[in-house]
Amino acid sequence: MSLLTARGVSVSFGALTVLHKAGLSVAAGDRIAVVGPNGVGKSTLLRVLAGLTRPDEGTVSAAGTVGYLPQERDRREAETAREYLGRRTGVAAAEQAMIAASDRLAAAAAGPAARASTVSEAQAGRDYAAALDAYLALGGPDLDIRATELAAALGLPADLDRPASGFSGGQAARLALAAVLLARFDVLLLDEPTNDLDLSGLDLLEQHLAGFGGGLVVVSHDRAFLERAASQVLQIDPHTREVKLYGGGYAAYREELARDKAHAAQAYQTYASARDDLIERARRQKEWARSGERTAKSAAMRRKEPDKNIRAGMAQGAQAAAAKGSAALRAAERLEPVAEPRKEWELRLRFGAAERSGDVVAVLSGAVVRRGTFQLGPVSLQIGWGDRVLIQGDNGSGKTTLLQALLGRIPLDGGRGSLGASVRVGEIDQGRLTFDQNARLLGAFRLACGLTEPEARTLLAKFGLGADDVGRAAGSLSPGERTRADLALLMQSGANLLVLDEPTNHLDLPAIEQLEQALDRYDGTLLIVTHDRRLAEQVSVTRRLTVREGTVSES
């Protein structure tokens, strides 16, 4: 039985069609990954399925509870961690609905004189029973107990009544994970649930989803996660905005997609060759016909061949050749047309040859950084020219703090640190907040890189950011669009030290593969923090650092 069904869903934003006649059915046990390039409509589809965006056409119906967890952590000002979990698990809304239903029931039971509503007592009773069932099904009564126990297991602060907005990036990722693990929806809609999660968090998420009995629809660019979590893949075509469902999991989808592309290319090649051959044959036949007819009618031919019957036969031969040419053209027109496969947009990422810095790029000597109760260090570490360093560790262990200390971005509470001579830093930070969030992207980008407006527009367009995108406020861009803008700036920077903090977050799969290739060709110094297991495997490194509870070790 389908728990969630979408039929003929179309969504447009102005003149832009985002989804066209999309259909999907989600049953218990289904594990569906939604894939496609950045901006193709994956998040929009999840919002439509969650009932948060109304489609222009089509319908969405649910036979169970549906939970949606967006990719951005959406922590709200003054909202506690406990309130955040209540909201994200649906328990808070269910509790409010139950209280409202209880009030209506009490008013109906008080009799006509006191009744403020026209709802009958019987109907109010049914509404309350439904609201209570929903609250119980979502695990409302014991949410606080479960949340406290899970917070301890995840290493979150014991005090869940502190503001969630004060959590570090790593803690925010764990808090979002806790919401997934605590949720008891019939259908889970997860948008980039692996972003910022460390390896242990990824393991917990994958184990939880493996035992989850409901339906799952997930958007993710983590290839290892997709291979483990998805049994079906729903692809959104970037040109038609239609969807196609592939069975057999993510690896099978990649293989079938490659076969589909090869078959489409071969079919078009066969069609184009047959069409071109017929058109060329028609051209030759018509040229022969024109030449033969001119010859048959010429005065020289009349002198050489006085027999008018022979000349007439030559003219008829020319006409027959012309008829064959016309027949060849008609045959070309009768061929079943085959559309030429579209060339997909690619992120062609290239980091230029890095101008050499000094031998010593960055140094920490007995460095200590304290932030509240957390302490990084003391750390003694030297990064040399050409080092390619992978930094890994659990959420909240101090990886980002280590990067900021190496770059001299934060004051040290002990020890010393310095950045080497002639070091030019190119950086992607975890928050994707490189540009002024209130400024137009084009202006903020030009301010950061010094390009003229035409040059900046051209470069951003190469990263899939067109005229409509560059005129928007940087803060209104999607996380994927902000990441591409960061990459454009990085390519232009001529950096000899690349510092990348979770660079694959929000990037689509082809872009991640392009990033891997660009990093392998880069000849400068590289510092990279990532929990993307495939990226860690694919990018060659010379050193590996592990940060654990504020201590740094090298393996």
Side-chain angles (χ1 to χ4, degrees), residues 99-112:
I99 292 171
S102 176
D103 291 343
R104 291 194 299 271
L105 178 58

Side-chain angles (χ1 to χ4, degrees), residues 426-440:
E427 185 178 9
I428 291 182
D429 68 0
Q430 196 173 43
R432 306 298 193 262
L433 301 175
T434 303
F435 306 106
D436 181 348
Q437 300 297 284
N438 296 316
R440 286 197 317 147

Side-chain angles (χ1 to χ4, degrees), residues 131-255:
L132 175 62
D133 286 345
Y135 177 72
L136 295 175
L138 291 172
D142 64 346
L143 177 64
D144 277 350
I145 296 172
R146 292 186 292 121
T148 302
E149 293 174 349
L150 183 61
L154 293 178
L156 288 169
D159 180 13
L160 292 179
D161 292 314
R162 59 184 284 190
S165 58
F167 280 27
S168 69
Q171 289 172 333
R174 289 274 173 156
L175 190 63
L177 172 62
V180 178
L181 301 183
L182 291 167
R184 290 184 175 174
F185 297 109
D186 297 313
V187 177
L188 276 176
L189 308 174
L190 306 182
D191 198 349
E192 298 289 2
T194 66
N195 278 356
D196 303 320
L197 278 183
D198 55 32
L199 298 179
S200 60
L202 287 168
D203 286 341
L204 280 172
L205 176 63
E206 289 170 355
Q207 291 170 22
H208 175 72
L209 294 179
F212 175 57
L216 171 68
V217 183
V218 60
V219 171
S220 178
H221 298 131
D222 185 319
R223 292 156 292 181
F225 171 74
L226 289 178
E227 288 176 359
R228 290 170 170 84
S231 57
Q232 300 176 81
V233 175
L234 187 79
Q235 177 185 265
I236 303 177
D237 187 281
H239 307 292
T240 67
R241 300 305 176 112
E242 297 174 345
V243 301
K244 181 178 180 181
L245 188 65
Y246 292 80
Y250 181 70
Y253 154 74
R254 293 293 296 264
E255 293 173 3

Side-chain angles (χ1 to χ4, degrees), residues 215-542:
L216 171 68
V217 183
V218 60
V219 171
S220 178
H221 298 131
D222 185 319
R223 292 156 292 181
F225 171 74
L226 289 178
E227 288 176 359
R228 290 170 170 84
S231 57
Q232 300 176 81
V233 175
L234 187 79
Q235 177 185 265
I236 303 177
D237 187 281
H239 307 292
T240 67
R241 300 305 176 112
E242 297 174 345
V243 301
K244 181 178 180 181
L245 188 65
Y246 292 80
Y250 181 70
Y253 154 74
R254 293 293 296 264
E255 293 173 3
E256 188 172 349
L257 187 64
R259 287 195 299 269
D260 283 352
K261 288 182 177 179
H263 291 160
Q266 182 59 51
Y268 177 75
Q269 184 61 44
T270 301
Y271 160 74
S273 295
R275 179 200 59 194
D276 292 348
D277 287 347
L278 287 169
I279 291 173
E280 176 61 21
R281 188 186 309 170
R283 187 194 65 78
R284 290 197 305 268
Q285 293 284 1
K286 290 196 170 187
E287 181 60 36
W288 292 340
R290 286 193 293 269
S291 177
E293 191 172 6
R294 286 195 302 269
T295 300
K297 291 179 179 179
S298 68
M301 175 54 69
R302 286 197 297 272
R303 288 194 297 271
K304 289 179 183 178
E305 183 51 72
D307 191 323
K308 64 179 183 181
N309 293 323
I310 294 177
R311 292 202 307 272
M314 294 176 64
Q316 289 174 354
Q319 292 169 1
K324 289 180 180 178
S326 296
L329 279 178
R330 289 194 297 274
E333 292 169 356
R334 287 194 300 271
L335 287 174
E336 185 70 30
V338 176
E340 182 177 6
R342 294 177 182 263
K343 292 182 178 179
E344 302 293 342
W345 176 83
E346 287 186 358
L347 172 64
R348 298 187 178 277
L349 185 59
R350 299 285 187 276
F351 299 125
E355 180 181 337
R356 199 183 195 287
S357 69
D359 289 339
V360 177
V361 173
V363 174
L364 292 176
S365 179
V368 175
V369 178
R370 297 187 183 92
R371 289 183 168 176
T373 59
F374 173 79
Q375 176 175 312
L376 173 73
V379 179
S380 294
L381 179 66
Q382 179 171 304
I383 306 298
W385 164 253
D387 280 349
R388 299 171 62 86
V389 185
L390 173 65
I391 303 173
Q392 292 184 298
D394 290 342
N395 290 136
S397 60
K399 303 183 298 298
T400 300
T401 302
L402 175 63
L403 287 181
Q404 297 303 304
L406 283 166
L407 297 177
R409 301 274 176 80
I410 54 177
L412 301 180
D413 295 292
R416 58 186 179 83
S418 62
L419 201 60
S422 305
V423 173
R424 180 180 295 177
V425 179
E427 185 178 9
I428 291 182
D429 68 0
Q430 196 173 43
R432 306 298 193 262
L433 301 175
T434 303
F435 306 106
D436 181 348
Q437 300 297 284
N438 296 316
R440 286 197 317 147
L441 174 63
L442 181 61
F445 186 82
R446 289 186 60 199
L447 186 65
C449 66
L451 294 178
T452 65
E453 181 171 328
E455 290 170 338
R457 285 182 179 275
T458 298
L459 179 57
L460 288 168
K462 291 179 180 178
F463 285 76
L465 297 166
D468 292 338
D469 303 311
V470 300
R472 292 162 52 194
S476 73
L477 298 171
S478 73
E481 290 166 334
R482 295 201 300 269
T483 302
R484 292 207 302 270
D486 284 347
L487 287 171
L489 182 62
L490 203 61
M491 193 172 84
Q492 174 64 22
S493 68
N496 51 26
L497 170 60
L498 291 186
V499 182
L500 308 180
D501 197 349
E502 299 292 356
T504 61
N505 280 2
H506 314 298
L507 279 182
D508 57 41
L509 296 166
I512 290 173
E513 292 169 357
Q514 287 285 320
L515 175 63
E516 289 172 351
Q517 295 170 22
L519 290 178
D520 268 343
R521 291 189 293 264
Y522 178 65
D523 59 359
T525 306
L526 174 66
L527 297 176
I528 182 168
V529 172
T530 184
H531 296 126
D532 187 315
R533 290 159 289 190
R534 287 299 164 78
L535 183 75
E537 293 170 0
Q538 296 295 327
V539 174
S540 61
V541 297
T542 59

